[in-house]
């Protein structure tokens, strides 16, 4: 089997684009209305201890992915059950990202095109990426991320004349609880979803790289999301919760004279890159899980099958765009076990029993 390795730069780019993913277009903390930017900050702060836990687990078990670690710590029977949970989570999250992309293109770009065609196109690109390996995904993310930040920065600058700073007031006029609740939603989507990256970062070259990668990825993506959310609030005000894709609507209001308009096209490009990075990593994680579960020689052997199933499931996961928004709130509670409970237990047990676990692994 070919040994794959990621350098720190590529891993940081993967983490950053993974967190941005569909968040850049769907927005974050919408229920907090004009306080959404505060919720985004809270979500990033809530995620900080969790990403430190994720990175610590990777550091303890250097060279082993999430699914191997689960079986080592919890044993074969319980470990396999939890492996199935994470396969299901990776598969579901990847399907949701593909569907989000399909809904966006179908609603605002190509309403006459069947959604299956849109989803299949993204799914096909992800399958190709996974078949080529994690190194290829890392290099692609490292190539595209300068373009993403170049677009985001320039759009922010062009948006300055459209900003209405009165829209930010009054701050927390409904109290702190709605902001706190939206902060938890921001934590679960997208920051804590980086638990899936534990299935890929066994490829990091250094044992100390995991913390650096997670913290830099969280910082770069978190700051970007906060700034973009604040921009959307300053353009759309309290009506930000009314839109399914607030970033697209906000950027659509930007115009410079009569010659620079329709800047929302740039949002489509950024969203496509983010959706590719996130859904590719979800597919990669699911394939790694199947490899561990069925003792396959290579995760690439199931990439096509899992990718096609992911595309099909993205069509049936919910009926319409309104259900998509309602699903976001249910999702935040559904993922508590895989994002918080199991990783915390895994970390505690690993810290207590790491010597005996590692010694038994070396003997085997």
């Amino acid at each position: 089997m070919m040994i794959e390795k990621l350098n720190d730069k590529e891993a940081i780019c993967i983490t950053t684009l993974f967190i941005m993913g569909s968040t850049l277009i769907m927005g974050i903390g919408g229920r907090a209305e004009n306080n959404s930017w505060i919720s985004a900050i809270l979500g990033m702060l809530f995620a900080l201890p969790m990403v430190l836990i994720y990175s610590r687990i990777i550091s303890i078990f250097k060279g082993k992915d999430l699914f191997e670690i689960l079986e080592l710590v919890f044993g074969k029977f319980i470990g396999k059950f939890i492996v199935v949970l994470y396969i299901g989570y990776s598969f579901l999250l990847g399907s949701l990202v593909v569907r989000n992309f399909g809904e966006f293109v179908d609603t605002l770009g190509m309403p006459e095109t069947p959604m299956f065609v849109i989803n299949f196109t993204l799914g096909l690109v992800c399958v190709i990426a996974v078949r080529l390996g994690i190194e290829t995904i890392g290099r692609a993310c490292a190539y595209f991320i300068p373009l993403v930040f170049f677009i985001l920065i320039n759009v922010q600058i062009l948006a300055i004349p459209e900003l209405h700073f009165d829209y930010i007031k009054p701050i927390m006029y409904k109290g702190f609880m709605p902001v706190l609740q939206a902060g938890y939603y921001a934590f679960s989507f997208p920051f804590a979803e980086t638990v899936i990256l534990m299935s890929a970062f066994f490829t990091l070259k250094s044992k100390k790289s995991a913390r650096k990668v997670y913290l830099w990825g969280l910082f770069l993506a978190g700051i970007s999301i906060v700034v973009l959310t604040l921009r959307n609030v300053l353009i759309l005000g309290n009506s930000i919760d009314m839109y399914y894709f607030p970033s697209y609507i906000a950027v659509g209001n930007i115009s410079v004279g009569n010659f620079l308009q329709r800047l929302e096209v740039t949002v489509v490009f950024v969203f496509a890159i983010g959706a590719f990075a996130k859904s590719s990593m979800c597919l990669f994680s699911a394939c790694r899980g199947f490899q561990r579960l069925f003792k396959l020689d290579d995760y690439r052997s199931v990439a096509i099958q899992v990718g096609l199933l992911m595309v099909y499931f993205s069509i049936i996961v919910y009926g319409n765009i309104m259900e998509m928004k309602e699903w976001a709130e249910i999702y935040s509670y559904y993922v508590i076990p895989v994002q918080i409970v199991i990783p915390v237990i895994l970390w505690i047990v690993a810290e207590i029993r790491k010597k005996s676990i590692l010694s038994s692994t070396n003997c085997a």
Side-chain angles (χ1 to χ4, degrees), residues 219-281:
F219 173 77
L220 291 173
I223 293 300
S224 301
I225 290 171
V226 170
V227 171
L228 265 64
T229 303
L230 184 59
R231 178 205 66 197
N232 293 345
V233 167
L234 295 178
I235 292 177
L236 302 176
N238 284 338
S239 64
I240 189 173
D241 189 40
M242 295 172 54
Y243 301 106
Y244 296 114
F245 307 108
S247 290
Y248 183 86
I249 302 300
V251 173
N253 289 333
I254 300 172
S255 63
V256 180
N258 294 319
F259 66 96
L260 192 57
Q261 298 177 340
R262 305 292 297 177
L263 294 178
E264 59 267 34
V265 175
T266 62
V267 175
V268 178
F269 174 79
V270 170
F271 183 31
I273 298 301
F276 157 75
K278 193 166 187 174
S279 50
S280 293
M281 291 309 301

Side-chain angles (χ1 to χ4, degrees), residues 1 95 244 259 349:
M1 186 187 301
S95 300
Y244 296 114
F259 66 96
V349 175

Side-chain angles (χ1 to χ4, degrees), residues 97-266:
V97 175
V98 173
R99 179 59 183 265
N100 293 341
F101 181 77
E103 286 285 2
F104 172 74
V105 175
D106 182 69
T107 303
L108 299 173
M110 297 186 291
E112 301 298 325
T113 303
M115 190 180 296
F116 177 80
V117 175
I118 301 166
N119 293 11
F120 179 78
T121 303
L122 176 60
L124 181 62
V125 174
C126 294
V127 167
I128 294 171
V130 172
R131 291 276 296 178
L132 292 173
I134 188 65
E135 291 181 353
T136 300
I137 297 174
R139 286 193 291 269
C141 290
Y143 175 81
F144 282 118
I145 204 166
L147 296 175
V148 169
F149 277 108
F150 176 79
I151 290 172
L152 294 179
I153 291 170
N154 280 279
V155 170
Q156 293 298 101
I157 294 172
L158 294 173
I160 291 175
E162 305 297 329
L163 303 182
H164 304 279
F165 288 92
D166 288 343
Y167 286 175
I168 204 172
K169 299 183 290 186
I171 295 176
M172 289 191 279
Y173 66 99
K174 292 183 179 179
F176 183 64
M177 284 309 297
V179 178
L180 183 64
Q181 185 180 36
Y184 169 69
Y185 292 156
F187 160 78
S188 62
F189 167 75
F191 297 113
E193 292 173 340
T194 51
V195 66
I196 285 178
L197 299 181
M198 292 173 63
S199 64
F201 287 166
F202 70 96
T203 56
L204 291 172
K205 295 180 179 179
S206 171
K207 187 175 181 179
K208 298 180 180 179
S209 295
R211 176 177 291 191
K212 173 185 174 182
V213 166
Y214 264 109
L215 290 179
W216 270 105
L218 177 67
F219 173 77
L220 291 173
I223 293 300
S224 301
I225 290 171
V226 170
V227 171
L228 265 64
T229 303
L230 184 59
R231 178 205 66 197
N232 293 345
V233 167
L234 295 178
I235 292 177
L236 302 176
N238 284 338
S239 64
I240 189 173
D241 189 40
M242 295 172 54
Y243 301 106
Y244 296 114
F245 307 108
S247 290
Y248 183 86
I249 302 300
V251 173
N253 289 333
I254 300 172
S255 63
V256 180
N258 294 319
F259 66 96
L260 192 57
Q261 298 177 340
R262 305 292 297 177
L263 294 178
E264 59 267 34
V265 175
T266 62

Side-chain angles (χ1 to χ4, degrees), residues 12-23:
I12 290 171
C13 292
I14 287 175
T15 307
T16 304
L17 289 177
F18 181 91
I19 295 174
M20 288 180 172
S22 50
T23 311

